[in-house]
Amino acid sequence: MSDKKRRIFLSEKEIPTAWYNIVPDMVNKPMPILNPGTKQPLKPEDLFPIFAEEVSRQELNQTDSWFEIPEPVRDQYKKYRSTPLVRATELEKALDTPAHIYFKNESVSPVGSHKLNSALAQAYYCKEQGITNITTETGAGQWGAALSYASKAFGLDLAVYMVRISYEQKPYRRSIMQTFGAQVIASPSMSTKAGRKVLTDTPNHSGSLGIAISEAIELALQTPNCKYTLGSVLNHVALHQTVIGLEAEKQMEIAGEYPDIIIGCFGGGSNFSGIAYPFMRHTLKKGKKTRFIAAEPSSCPKLTRGIFQYDFGDEAGYTPLLPMYTLGHNFAPANIHAGGLRYHGAGTIVSQLKKDGFLEAVDIPQLESFRAGTLFAQTEGIIPAPESCHAIASAIREANQAKEEGVQKTILFNLSGHGLIDMTAYDLFNQGNLVDYDLPEAVIRRSIDELEHII
Amino acid sequence: MSDKKRRIFLSEKEIPTAWYNIVPDMVNKPMPILNPGTKQPLKPEDLFPIFAEEVSRQELNQTDSWFEIPEPVRDQYKKYRSTPLVRATELEKALDTPAHIYFKNESVSPVGSHKLNSALAQAYYCKEQGITNITTETGAGQWGAALSYASKAFGLDLAVYMVRISYEQKPYRRSIMQTFGAQVIASPSMSTKAGRKVLTDTPNHSGSLGIAISEAIELALQTPNCKYTLGSVLNHVALHQTVIGLEAEKQMEIAGEYPDIIIGCFGGGSNFSGIAYPFMRHTLKKGKKTRFIAAEPSSCPKLTRGIFQYDFGDEAGYTPLLPMYTLGHNFAPANIHAGGLRYHGAGTIVSQLKKDGFLEAVDIPQLESFRAGTLFAQTEGIIPAPESCHAIASAIREANQAKEEGVQKTILFNLSGHGLIDMTAYDLFNQGNLVDYDLPEAVIRRSIDELEHII
């Protein structure tokens, strides 16, 4: 142990200078994103009313493998990147496994998660274009916190629609956003048509990511010089997150190993894509044999039990139509504590890759995820975010499997964030008051059946 | 900016292998710690009933300048050390100051503060000696969280007496301790004589550090194979914390600068001592001109308004008599949100150094500290602990002074912890609901007058 480095950093010079776009290397490109009215494929210009121009171009680019990271974004990255690659030696010992377990520790970012990687990029591109105001939504608050800091860093005014149940249950995340200077509105709210409609139908509605997205888009469209930003699902978000995997690639090289298995928890796909794609390019281009595992909650199993189909990204249907694995945009996931994974669909790229067999998905029950997270905390000293607990649980499954088979596997997972602001959930778990949720097939079927009219 | 490194790390090989004991280099040694009964100076053996033997020896050692850091402690340090030295370029810009501001970022430790540096050492020495159980107290919970992880790492059972008001107001920190496997008891409690006495007199007493210390010592004395541990004030705690300054010394060298001013917030003195002593040795040995500033809250101003005098470290008078700057062990500080700074006394070494003019102290009002913390968050991206806000406020005062004088000063402060679990306080501040407390001289006088019978 003492002769091997516990944590591997990169020097500032080694921090990636470009993000990796996997699309040019894909066997089958993702199907086009469609205008819901005309059902015609979108061009970048069609996205300009909602998104910054540069991210709109990135979103639909199928030819450029690399996008240079702008200098001001790289300067901000240097505040917390490279993040360490850590060998989880104590966890290995506790599991008595022959597997080598590494994790990429994105929790050391100032706001505690990987979300800042894309927040800084999106805020920068808006600023660059002369935009003054941006909007977004946030569930558990990780994305909102990241974007709040990024907006302050680049001098933008930010309005965040925060899912009401989180707004009430996670006041710390709300305060973090406010401390960074953002305006935070509980969603559904009376400030938008979409929100008013929901509140009229259901006055005490506790909100959902889908509704919050609708509200944020609506406000962006009605505010002068304002754009909308999104923290996951979309291709440009995954693109920005590849800085994680590109760093990890160099760091694994320093460690002298190449991962057999790469794992990320899965909500819309941004942290999974971020850690996976840079390694997957060697699978696509050189036939490198690596297993990629997306770990989703069993109560929101879009990859393991959803359908591949065109669907909206939001509740009200303001977004374009996305070809994706989905549970239906009206699917209401159980109120699990991994709020960042409570989303009905998967990004278009990751959906295509799943369809083509380049990645596996596993669904993790809530209790198993917290048992895994607690073991990780007690061995490695870091309390993981409830979302990240799913990746840890999957890694533990694989390490146990390696033990059973008596083979040495190298496992790499992404620790997307810490859980210091999610202690309410650990509290309930410690007291035996957390439960697993049953999700009958009929419920999924009903939600998916509602999609049929879309396309 | 791009040509200068934002964050400086040390390689694992450069992490200090020994802690620095400042006592041999002091002009006047600290006065002896006394047995309260006999008024005789204590020998290490006198401390053995309460503390681990090795820390008892460290506590009273006046001859050895260096203590080797045991290998298992260094292995644990490697999980988060070196912590980065960061140039606060954005804060400098916001202040428009010619000063160079650096901070040592101890907030990246897994539990979010510098406290882990001593927690790991103390847990290790107990384990090494064959101890199975330890006790401690915690105010805001930073120390308790650190020791909870350290106890788990070295296989000890831990009981934490947590000041009741924090137990109720900071449930997240309690959950963190419980997640690491510690037993947490709200203090005052009915589990000790000291606690029962307080509760009999004042049934709804909200607790204090002094009472919690009494309870933790009492439980340790009455439990087989059990020792007590303390997170600040004592010499051996300051010793362990010097790893901060020893790293910073090497890192400042890499940065190519030597600090003119070194700042730490001040509760009992552990983080201040940790950053200051390694640099102060060059003042003591080579006459190097450096200003050392202890930043304490104006509502608990032991260094700026207290008296140098023998006093107890706890409420019930279980501890030895310590020669220190104190407000009196019955002093009840206002309920400010920097819970870690609400302690009546200063360590014996730091008290002597203050008496001999080697350090300055400033008192910072609560509102100024949160204004400073918010500016720091909005520029550097890290929300600081309310305790650390005091160091930041002092650094900002000095940076503004440098601007006024038009001189380039190099300022180094210790960012002892992050404030992600203290957002309730920021919330109140953001809403304009925090106040400054007036502390009339008569209140201090009354509390100090009660001391006269002690020695």
Side-chain angles (χ1 to χ4, degrees):
Chain A
M1 223 225 56
S2 294
D3 57 324
K4 271 282 185 187
K5 278 189 190 161
R6 241 188 201 288
R7 301 189 303 158
I8 295 170
F9 286 97
L10 299 176
S11 70
E12 284 190 2
K13 264 178 278 175
E14 294 169 302
I15 298 176
T17 57
W19 296 299
Y20 168 62
N21 179 18
I22 198 173
V23 181
D25 293 326
M26 287 171 72
V27 178
N28 298 305
K29 309 294 177 226
M31 288 157 61
I33 298 176
L34 302 181
N35 178 315
T38 64
K39 307 278 153 73
Q40 288 306 301
L42 288 187
K43 291 187 293 292
E45 306 84 87
D46 299 325
L47 295 171
F48 289 177
I50 299 183
F51 293 108
E53 294 180 6
E54 182 56 23
V55 303
S56 301
R57 281 186 284 265
Q58 291 173 348
E59 184 62 27
L60 300 175
N61 188 301
Q62 303 206 332
T63 50
D64 299 315
S65 293
W66 298 96
F67 283 89
E68 199 189 322
I69 305 175
E71 187 72 25
V73 176
R74 291 188 61 207
D75 273 348
Q76 287 288 335
Y77 276 2
K78 288 178 189 170
K79 282 193 179 165
Y80 65 102
R81 311 207 68 88
S82 66
T83 63
L85 177 79
V86 189
R87 173 84 181 269
T89 47
E90 309 290 320
L91 177 62
E92 290 173 15
K93 256 185 252 170
L95 295 173
D96 187 26
T97 176
H100 294 185
I101 306 176
Y102 291 86
F103 63 93
K104 179 72 168 159
N105 187 0
E106 291 292 305
S107 81
V108 300
S109 114
V111 293
S113 84
H114 71 293
K115 293 288 186 189
L116 196 53
N117 301 327
S118 185
L120 289 166
Q122 294 190 49
Y124 166 76
Y125 287 126
C126 285
K127 183 69 181 180
E128 186 67 2
Q129 192 187 323
I131 301 301
T132 54
N133 292 59
I134 59 177
T135 71
T136 200
E137 77 295 325
T138 198
Q142 295 269 29
W143 167 249
L147 193 67
S148 297
Y149 169 64
S151 300
K152 179 53 73 176
F154 289 109
L156 298 164
D157 279 336
L158 169 66
V160 183
Y161 285 94
M162 185 174 189
V163 175
R164 183 174 296 275
I165 192 164
S166 295
Y167 185 92
E168 283 161 8
Q169 288 182 350
K170 300 186 183 235
Y172 280 29
R173 283 253 166 67
R174 169 181 53 70
S175 304
I176 290 172
M177 293 186 262
Q178 288 167 334
T179 296
F180 284 128
Q183 189 195 150
V184 187
I185 311 114
S187 166
S189 77
M190 294 299 284
S191 66
T192 64
K193 223 167 65 184
R196 283 193 296 274
K197 180 173 180 311
V198 174
L199 287 176
T200 306
D201 295 348
T202 318
N204 293 315
H205 200 293
S206 59
S208 75
L209 263 183
I211 297 169
I213 294 175
S214 299
E215 292 206 271
I217 292 178
E218 190 180 322
L219 182 68
L221 288 171
Q222 293 179 351
T223 305
N225 210 17
C226 184
K227 298 293 166 198
Y228 166 72
T229 62
L230 185 67
S232 188
V233 185
L234 294 178
N235 300 344
H236 65 269
V237 184
L239 174 75
H240 304 152
Q241 294 296 355
T242 58
V243 69
I244 302 171
L246 291 166
E247 284 185 2
E249 192 189 347
K250 293 186 196 184
Q251 290 165 314
M252 288 299 305
E253 209 173 303
I254 294 171
E257 305 204 50
Y258 193 92
D260 300 301
I261 303 169
I262 294 175
I263 302 169
C265 63
F266 198 94
S270 82
N271 103 82
F272 171 81
S273 305
I275 186 99
Y277 291 173
F279 290 95
M280 203 181 278
R281 83 181 192 277
H282 304 305
T283 302
L284 293 167
K285 295 172 76 168
K286 299 181 211 157
K288 197 106 183 161
K289 294 246 176 307
T290 310
R291 288 174 56 207
F292 298 92
I293 303 177
E296 57 183 12
S298 58
S299 53
C300 197
K302 66 219 84 166
L303 291 176
T304 46
R305 297 173 66 189
I307 187 175
F308 185 85
Q309 145 103 47
Y310 271 99
D311 192 6
F312 290 109
D314 70 327
E315 166 101 3
Y318 288 161
T319 69
L321 283 169
L322 306 164
M324 59 186 189
Y325 276 93
T326 179
L327 295 160
H329 65 271
N330 286 322
F331 179 78
N335 189 24
I336 58 165
H337 284 266
L341 309 185
R342 293 175 72 247
Y343 184 71
H344 66 279
T348 65
I349 295 175
V350 80
S351 290
Q352 186 65 46
L353 290 167
K354 170 74 171 60
K355 192 154 171 275
D356 293 342
F358 287 100
L359 62 99
E360 309 161 38
V362 292
D363 58 333
I364 309 278
Q366 176 158 262
L367 289 177
E368 180 181 348
S369 76
F370 277 96
R371 272 194 300 272
T374 300
L375 177 62
F376 182 78
Q378 295 193 349
T379 50
E380 297 297 319
I382 304 165
I383 296 182
E387 291 82 4
S388 312
C389 288
H390 291 74
I392 297 170
S394 171
I396 289 176
R397 283 186 187 179
E398 295 299 328
N400 286 338
Q401 182 69 24
K403 182 183 176 184
E404 211 164 282
E405 295 172 6
V407 290
Q408 190 272 299
K409 297 267 182 187
T410 300
I411 301 168
L412 167 64
F413 72 86
N414 193 33
L415 184 73
S416 55
H418 65 62
L420 293 177
I421 316 176
D422 303 284
M423 294 313 300
T424 312
Y426 278 92
D427 226 14
L428 292 170
F429 175 71
N430 291 336
Q431 293 159 0
N433 290 333
L434 270 197
V435 294
D436 281 331
Y437 293 91
D438 204 37
L439 178 56
E441 197 58 30
V443 173
I444 298 179
R445 211 37 49 201
R446 199 157 53 233
S447 167
I448 287 176
D449 284 349
E450 288 177 18
L451 290 180
E452 283 189 12
H453 66 281
I454 290 182
I455 192 165
Chain B
M1 223 228 54
S2 295
D3 57 325
K4 272 280 184 187
K5 278 191 188 160
R6 238 186 203 290
R7 301 188 304 158
I8 295 171
F9 286 96
L10 300 176
S11 71
E12 285 189 1
K13 263 179 279 176
E14 295 170 301
I15 298 176
T17 57
W19 296 300
Y20 168 62
N21 179 18
I22 196 173
V23 181
D25 294 326
M26 286 171 72
V27 177
N28 298 306
K29 309 295 177 227
M31 288 156 61
I33 298 175
L34 303 182
N35 177 314
T38 65
K39 305 281 155 70
Q40 290 305 302
L42 288 187
K43 293 187 291 294
E45 307 83 87
D46 300 325
L47 295 172
F48 288 178
I50 299 183
F51 293 108
E53 294 180 6
E54 181 57 23
V55 302
S56 301
R57 282 188 282 266
Q58 291 173 348
E59 184 62 26
L60 299 176
N61 188 302
Q62 303 207 333
T63 50
D64 299 314
S65 293
W66 298 96
F67 284 89
E68 198 188 323
I69 305 175
E71 187 73 25
V73 176
R74 292 188 61 207
D75 272 348
Q76 287 288 334
Y77 277 1
K78 287 178 189 170
K79 281 193 180 164
Y80 63 103
R81 307 207 70 85
S82 68
T83 63
L85 177 81
V86 189
R87 174 84 182 269
T89 47
E90 309 290 321
L91 177 62
E92 290 173 15
K93 256 185 254 170
L95 295 173
D96 188 26
T97 177
H100 294 185
I101 306 176
Y102 291 85
F103 63 93
K104 179 72 169 160
N105 187 1
E106 291 290 306
S107 81
V108 300
S109 114
V111 294
S113 84
H114 72 292
K115 293 288 187 190
L116 196 53
N117 301 328
S118 185
L120 288 166
Q122 294 190 50
Y124 166 76
Y125 286 126
C126 284
K127 182 69 181 178
E128 186 65 2
Q129 192 187 323
I131 302 300
T132 53
N133 292 61
I134 57 177
T135 72
T136 199
E137 76 294 324
T138 198
Q142 295 269 28
W143 166 249
L147 193 66
S148 297
Y149 168 64
S151 300
K152 179 54 74 177
F154 288 110
L156 299 165
D157 278 337
L158 169 65
V160 183
Y161 285 93
M162 186 173 190
V163 175
R164 184 173 295 276
I165 191 165
S166 296
Y167 184 93
E168 283 160 8
Q169 287 181 352
K170 301 187 183 236
Y172 281 30
R173 282 251 166 69
R174 171 181 52 71
S175 304
I176 290 172
M177 292 185 262
Q178 290 168 332
T179 297
F180 284 129
Q183 189 193 150
V184 188
I185 311 114
S187 166
S189 77
M190 294 298 284
S191 66
T192 64
K193 225 167 65 183
R196 284 193 296 273
K197 179 172 181 312
V198 174
L199 288 176
T200 306
D201 295 348
T202 319
N204 293 316
H205 201 294
S206 60
S208 75
L209 263 184
I211 298 168
I213 294 175
S214 299
E215 292 207 271
I217 293 178
E218 190 181 322
L219 181 68
L221 288 171
Q222 292 179 350
T223 306
N225 210 17
C226 182
K227 297 294 166 197
Y228 165 71
T229 62
L230 185 67
S232 189
V233 185
L234 294 178
N235 300 344
H236 66 271
V237 183
L239 174 74
H240 305 151
Q241 294 297 353
T242 58
V243 69
I244 301 171
L246 292 166
E247 283 185 3
E249 192 190 347
K250 294 186 195 183
Q251 290 166 312
M252 288 300 304
E253 209 173 302
I254 295 170
E257 303 204 51
Y258 192 92
D260 299 301
I261 303 169
I262 294 175
I263 302 169
C265 64
F266 199 93
S270 82
N271 104 83
F272 172 80
S273 306
I275 187 100
Y277 292 174
F279 290 95
M280 203 181 278
R281 84 181 192 276
H282 303 305
T283 303
L284 293 167
K285 295 171 76 167
K286 300 181 211 158
K288 196 107 185 162
K289 296 247 177 303
T290 311
R291 288 174 57 207
F292 298 91
I293 304 177
E296 56 184 13
S298 58
S299 54
C300 196
K302 67 219 83 168
L303 292 175
T304 48
R305 298 173 66 189
I307 186 174
F308 185 86
Q309 146 105 48
Y310 271 99
D311 193 6
F312 290 108
D314 69 327
E315 165 101 2
Y318 289 160
T319 70
L321 284 168
L322 306 164
M324 59 185 189
Y325 277 93
T326 180
L327 295 161
H329 65 271
N330 286 322
F331 179 78
N335 188 25
I336 58 165
H337 284 267
L341 308 184
R342 293 174 73 246
Y343 184 72
H344 66 279
T348 64
I349 295 174
V350 80
S351 290
Q352 187 64 45
L353 289 167
K354 169 74 171 58
K355 193 154 171 273
D356 293 343
F358 287 100
L359 62 99
E360 308 162 38
V362 292
D363 58 333
I364 309 279
Q366 176 159 263
L367 289 177
E368 180 181 348
S369 76
F370 277 95
R371 272 194 299 273
T374 301
L375 178 62
F376 181 77
Q378 296 193 349
T379 50
E380 296 298 320
I382 304 166
I383 296 182
E387 291 82 3
S388 312
C389 289
H390 292 74
I392 297 169
S394 171
I396 289 174
R397 283 187 187 178
E398 295 299 329
N400 288 337
Q401 182 68 24
K403 182 184 177 183
E404 213 163 281
E405 295 172 6
V407 291
Q408 191 270 300
K409 297 267 182 186
T410 300
I411 301 168
L412 167 65
F413 72 86
N414 193 34
L415 183 73
S416 54
H418 66 61
L420 293 178
I421 316 178
D422 303 283
M423 294 313 299
T424 312
Y426 279 91
D427 225 16
L428 291 170
F429 175 71
N430 291 336
Q431 293 158 1
N433 289 334
L434 271 197
V435 294
D436 281 333
Y437 294 92
D438 204 37
L439 177 57
E441 197 57 30
V443 173
I444 297 179
R445 208 41 44 202
R446 201 158 48 234
S447 167
I448 287 175
D449 283 349
E450 289 177 18
L451 289 181
E452 283 189 12
H453 66 282
I454 289 184
I455 193 166

